[in-house]
Amino acid sequence: MGELHDWLIDQHHGLRTYRAFHQKADQLAQRDSRHRALYRMLALIVTDYIDAYDDQPLPVDVAEAAFDRLLGVVSAAENSLQAPVADQIVTLNRIAEARLF
């Protein structure tokens, strides 16, 4: 797996993880200009989730489902890094449609 997925799999399902994920994705976007759009989009998909549950109780079932979705999206994204450009674009479109909750 990739750097983000390997880090994410060991994290708690709370909002702190999503904030850290956002920061890590932004850092990767700065480091990897070839895949900047992918990392920026990954950072964006957690923003709505963070905003929705900031200072709100986070139901366990919602947290688990969102975490599983995020793991799936990150896995697909990182698997696409070495794919042909056309396949990378398909993955970017899927990320653009992704919702965690």
Side-chain angles (χ1 to χ4, degrees):
M1 287 295 154
E3 181 177 344
L4 275 176
H5 188 273
D6 289 347
W7 172 82
L8 186 60
I9 196 122
D10 292 327
Q11 301 304 306
H12 185 268
H13 299 175
L15 284 180
R16 188 172 298 149
T17 294
Y18 291 85
R19 288 185 188 104
F21 177 88
H22 188 279
Q23 184 177 28
K24 286 183 175 296
D26 275 345
Q27 289 168 351
L28 286 167
Q30 292 171 7
R31 273 195 340 229
D32 185 357
S33 61
R34 186 167 172 242
H35 298 106
R36 183 167 287 140
L38 179 130
Y39 291 118
R40 291 274 186 229
M41 290 178 68
L42 287 173
L44 285 173
I45 66 170
V46 298
T47 302
D48 288 342
Y49 187 75
I50 292 167
D51 290 346
Y53 288 103
D54 194 24
D55 295 327
Q56 300 293 322
L58 183 57
V60 173
D61 58 329
V62 171
E64 289 177 1
F67 192 81
D68 289 343
R69 283 189 203 102
L70 182 59
L71 275 175
V73 169
V74 170
S75 179
E78 290 183 331
N79 287 336
S80 78
L81 293 176
Q82 302 305 319
V85 173
D87 292 341
Q88 290 181 31
I89 292 170
V90 169
T91 299
L92 287 173
N93 285 329
R94 288 185 180 146
I95 293 170
E97 295 175 338
R99 299 291 176 261
L100 298 182
F101 63 105

